[in-house]
Amino acid sequence: HPDGHFPIKTYETYGVLYNWPAAMNGAASSEANPSGVQGACPEGWHLPSDAEWTILTDYLGGEEVGGKMKEAGITHWRDPNTGADNSSGFTALPGGYRGSDGGFGNIGIGGFWWSSTEFNTNLAWDRDLFYFLGLVDRYDDNKNFGFSVRCVRD
């Protein structure tokens, strides 16, 4: 950001935050596996559906798998980064979010990833990880929020 409030290093480390319409890039909501939604992802990749996220977390062992998904240590995550061992290789980083008011929050505290599946007109499903929890949460959040995306190879 030109005024220095959002340093380039932050962007280079945590990546881009997208609101749900931007993450979807004009595509309709999908619950399919695979989603079939390229969205903001590069050619040959897609934005995972809520069903795909559930398959991943179920495969890893259910709700209590946040630690398996988080980057280990406290270089990027706040202490204590509960349960984090990255045994899944997902290497989740706490990129935080951009609120509907345009403000940024939770860098180092939490990471939030969109799915291609809407809950209703105003909300879409996402997965959340926090430094103080060893689990992965599934939420329906406001589509105006800026969250991370994780693309899946087709």
Side-chain angles (χ1 to χ4, degrees):
H1 195 268
D3 65 6
H5 289 314
F6 197 73
I8 293 296
K9 184 166 176 25
T10 303
Y11 163 80
E12 289 174 349
T13 301
Y14 300 104
V16 177
L17 301 177
Y18 300 85
N19 63 26
W20 193 77
M24 295 293 286
N25 196 25
S29 173
S30 171
E31 176 66 14
N33 174 25
S35 72
V37 174
Q38 182 178 346
C41 297
E43 191 68 37
W45 296 75
H46 67 274
L47 189 65
S49 66
D50 183 58
E52 288 178 275
W53 276 106
T54 299
I55 288 166
L56 170 64
T57 55
D58 285 354
Y59 173 79
L60 294 175
E63 186 181 71
E64 297 289 328
V65 300
K68 293 180 181 180
M69 297 173 70
K70 293 189 292 182
E71 177 190 62
I74 55 171
T75 301
H76 299 106
W77 288 93
R78 284 200 185 165
D79 199 6
N81 198 12
T82 303
D85 65 14
N86 197 34
S87 59
S88 71
F90 191 88
T91 318
L93 293 177
Y97 67 89
R98 184 171 190 246
S100 48
D101 65 354
F104 293 90
N106 277 16
I107 289 180
I109 295 172
F112 311 87
W113 291 266
W114 284 123
S115 78
S116 66
T117 310
E118 67 182 0
F119 177 74
N120 63 26
T121 305
N122 300 313
L123 306 172
W125 291 109
D126 58 87
R127 293 301 188 282
D128 307 346
L129 296 165
F130 294 96
Y131 79 97
F132 54 85
L133 293 172
L135 52 85
V136 58
D137 286 321
R138 175 181 181 254
Y139 284 118
D140 51 338
D141 275 307
N142 188 310
K143 292 178 181 179
N144 292 326
F145 291 166
F147 288 166
S148 301
V149 299
R150 179 62 65 102
C151 299
V152 178
R153 193 183 306 269
D154 292 343

